[in-house]
Amino acid sequence: MAKNSADETIKVMKQQVGIAAANRVSSDSIVGLGTGSTTAYAIQHLGDRLKSGDLNNIKGIPTSFQASVLAKQYGIPLTTLDEVSKIDIAIDGADEVDPHKNLIKGGGAAHTREKVVDALADQFIVVVDQSKLVEALGTTFALPVEVLPMAIAPVTDALKKLGGEPELRMGVKKDGPVITDQGNMILDVTFEAIADPATLESTINNIPGVLENGLFVGLADLILIGEIVEGQPCVREMH
Ligand SMILES: O=C[C@H](O)[C@H](O)[C@H](O)COP(=O)(O)O
């Protein structure tokens, strides 16, 4: 498939799942708004539903600066975790999804806030295109780890001792490292297939200086997968 046509196909799949997820949101609910190109379609469709009157009285909790900008652009009122004690539904993307619905997230460096919001939601829906499905986490995507800037050197050493190959994420159209919404840095850590995601998640988070890593284990309730079947875009559910 030519590159432009492949990009267009992925865009259509992302759009389909984003819309399907936004259609599952009910009026009078608090909605976690994830980060990334797939969730952006969900946020846009939530805004469309509010505008048309199909949906009323929702409030969003953004997981990033990007989500907050999009929510404002599409007319979704926002709130914070200081104002509300629970989240009804969260919609978020992922970089890898394994057959047990465990995830790697953080391709957009937003996984720390995403984990706070997604973990609090009564229902956490993940939106991905079919290219994100893997047999084992870590096989196609390096694991993002958010680190305090002053701890980059010791955390790098500790991650190497765990068998990883950490690389400082560098900015695009900006010299130097990516700085997260919280003012920290990201180490992208290549592991061979991750055999025990739950143990690795807590082991990494126990390294002093680590804020959060992108392993989301046992959090997702439903994965919506955008696929092309016989030339037609469709959405498959993984429960
Ligand atoms: O930090 C970013 C997030 O975890 C995203 O949800 C993830 O990277 C997937 O993004 P996209 O839908 O753009 O592939």
Side-chain angles (χ1 to χ4, degrees):
M1 197 185 287
K3 186 175 181 312
N4 281 352
S5 148
D7 288 350
E8 189 52 35
T9 303
I10 287 187
K11 188 179 150 191
V12 169
M13 291 191 284
K14 288 180 175 189
Q15 203 163 14
Q16 290 281 121
V17 279
I19 290 172
N23 280 338
R24 288 173 175 260
V25 172
S26 310
S27 294
D28 307 312
S29 55
I30 304 295
V31 187
L33 303 173
T35 300
S37 56
T38 319
T39 317
Y41 290 113
I43 296 175
Q44 181 173 5
H45 193 62
L46 284 174
D48 290 346
R49 289 186 64 202
L50 283 174
K51 211 183 289 171
S52 72
D54 174 47
L55 186 66
N56 293 292
N57 190 35
I58 66 162
K59 282 190 179 155
I61 306 225
T63 55
S64 62
F65 183 75
Q66 181 216 30
S68 145
V69 167
L70 286 173
K72 285 177 195 152
Q73 182 181 338
Y74 294 116
I76 301 170
L78 295 176
T79 186
T80 68
L81 292 175
D82 295 323
E83 310 283 327
V84 297
S85 55
K86 79 182 193 83
I87 298 173
D88 297 294
I89 183 169
I91 300 171
D92 210 341
D95 301 295
E96 283 188 342
V97 179
D98 79 5
H100 309 288
K101 295 185 292 184
N102 296 324
L103 319 171
I104 285 185
K105 289 181 51 54
H111 59 277
T112 301
R113 285 201 212 177
E114 288 177 329
K115 202 180 280 188
V116 173
V117 170
D118 298 343
L120 279 173
D122 284 349
Q123 196 190 15
F124 171 29
I125 300 182
V126 178
V127 286
V128 290
D129 63 82
Q130 61 190 14
S131 70
K132 306 292 185 63
L133 302 182
V134 294
E135 278 308 310
L137 295 179
T139 45
T140 65
F141 203 84
L143 177 65
V145 179
E146 180 164 359
V147 182
L148 281 176
M150 56 81 75
I152 280 290
V155 172
T156 297
D157 290 345
L159 289 166
K160 283 184 183 163
K161 283 190 188 130
L162 290 177
E165 281 178 39
E167 195 178 320
L168 186 62
R169 190 181 299 183
M170 302 306 280
V172 176
K173 292 197 181 177
K174 183 254 181 199
D175 293 333
V178 165
I179 303 298
T180 67
D181 287 359
Q182 294 74 241
N184 300 306
M185 294 179 188
I186 298 287
L187 290 171
D188 288 307
V189 192
T190 303
F191 286 98
E192 302 214 338
I194 297 170
D196 183 351
T199 302
L200 187 64
E201 180 184 16
S202 53
T203 303
I204 292 177
N205 280 358
N206 269 338
I207 301 170
V210 168
L211 273 299
E212 189 54 84
N213 70 81
L215 284 166
F216 283 46
V217 179
L219 288 182
D221 295 300
L222 171 67
I223 316 284
L224 295 180
I225 304 154
E227 293 184 330
I228 302 287
V229 177
E230 293 173 0
Q232 294 303 317
C234 64
V235 175
R236 178 159 65 92
E237 299 180 9
M238 187 199 287
H239 290 268

